[in-house]
Amino acid sequence: MAIFEVCVGNYKEAVLAAKRGADRIELCDNLLEDGTTPSYGTIKMTIEKLNIPVMVIIRPRGGDFYYTDDELEIMKSDIEMCKNLGAYGVVIGAIKDNKIDYRIIKDLVNVAKPMSITFHMAFDEIEDKKSAIHYLVELGGDRILTKGGKENAIEGMKCLKELVEYSNGKILIMPGKGINKENRDMILEYTKAIEIHGSKIL
C-alpha cells in the first residue's frame, strides 16, 4: 500500500486530513505561495493532536529557492524548533545555479537528523536531476517531492517513472502537484512510486 501524504495549509486542514485517512501530513502556511513555515503554535498543536507523522515545511518566504546566510540561520532555528516539538520530519530545499545548494542543504540536514528529510519541489528547477539524486543520497535525504520537472505530476509522469527507476530505492521519489483521488492510483501504477503527495488525494 502506498503512503498518502496530504499537504495542508493550517491546523484545521490537518485535522480533517487525518480524519480522512492521511498516512502523513506536510504542514505548511501560505499555500498560495507554495508553502512557508507555519507558526510555532500551529506546529505544536498539530503534533500534539494528530497521531500520524507530521512533516513541517522549512521555507522562510515565498519566491525562489536561493537563500542568504541570514535565511539559512532562520531555517536552522526553525528546524531546531520542529525537532524540539517532536516533528516526524522537515521539508527543505535550496538551489544555486540550477543545482542543489550543497552547503546549505548539508547544514540543514546536519541540524535536522535524525528526523526524516524531504527535499521539496525546488528539485524541479534542477537541470541534472540524476546528479542531484546522488547528492541527496550522500547528504542523507529520505525522499524527493517532485512533479517530474513539468507543470504537474501528470505531465511529468514519464520523468517521474525514470527517477523512481534511477533512484532504485536509495531515496524515495514522491510525486506531487495536480494529484487527486481520481488520478492518484494511475500515477502510482505508472511511476511505481510508493509514496504520493497532494492536498486533494483523499
Side-chain angles (χ1 to χ4, degrees):
M1 283 290 290
I3 288 174
F4 292 154
E5 179 180 276
V6 179
C7 176
V8 300
N10 54 54
Y11 169 73
K12 188 177 179 182
E13 288 177 8
V15 172
L16 284 172
K19 282 181 181 170
R20 287 185 185 132
D23 297 301
R24 192 171 65 221
I25 293 291
E26 184 197 38
L27 184 62
C28 306
D29 197 359
N30 295 317
L31 282 182
L32 290 175
E33 294 204 59
D34 293 325
T36 56
T37 305
S39 71
Y40 174 92
T42 298
I43 298 167
K44 182 173 186 286
M45 184 67 75
T46 305
I47 291 167
E48 284 176 359
K49 296 289 185 180
L50 268 56
N51 60 0
I52 56 174
V54 176
M55 301 288 293
V56 182
I57 193 164
I58 304 296
R59 192 170 173 231
R61 57 167 171 77
D64 64 32
F65 304 108
Y66 292 76
Y67 295 113
T68 64
D69 286 346
D70 284 347
E71 288 173 323
L72 170 59
E73 292 307 313
I74 290 169
M75 290 189 283
K76 284 161 72 174
S77 295
D78 284 342
I79 289 171
E80 287 282 9
M81 169 182 71
C82 293
K83 188 185 276 189
N84 292 336
L85 288 172
Y88 176 76
V90 289
V91 183
I92 60 174
I95 56 175
K96 187 177 183 180
D97 303 323
N98 295 321
K99 298 175 183 171
I100 288 171
D101 191 324
Y102 193 86
R103 179 182 68 91
I104 285 182
I105 295 302
K106 188 176 182 182
D107 266 8
L108 296 180
V109 169
N110 285 341
V111 177
K113 283 296 184 184
M115 290 190 293
S116 186
I117 294 168
T118 298
F119 191 94
H120 60 50
M121 286 185 185
F123 186 82
D124 290 303
E125 296 183 20
I126 294 168
E127 283 178 9
D128 187 346
K129 291 176 172 51
K130 289 179 177 175
S131 288
I133 284 173
H134 285 290
Y135 272 129
L136 290 169
V137 169
E138 183 187 313
L139 287 166
D142 296 291
R143 72 188 60 75
I144 298 167
L145 172 61
T146 172
K147 51 188 191 280
K150 302 290 186 181
E151 276 299 302
N152 55 56
I154 295 285
E155 288 182 27
M157 278 207 307
K158 185 169 180 289
C159 177
L160 287 165
K161 181 182 172 70
E162 288 171 4
L163 292 173
V164 170
E165 287 172 1
Y166 186 78
S167 63
N168 197 27
K170 293 186 180 75
I171 191 167
L172 291 167
I173 304 296
M174 180 168 64
K177 192 78 170 184
I179 300 175
N180 55 41
K181 279 189 289 189
E182 285 69 43
N183 62 28
R184 71 187 189 196
D185 294 337
M186 179 265 291
I187 291 168
L188 286 166
E189 172 74 21
Y190 180 81
T191 63
K192 301 294 185 274
I194 59 171
E195 299 191 355
I196 198 160
H197 168 102
S199 57
K200 297 174 181 172
I201 56 172
L202 294 176

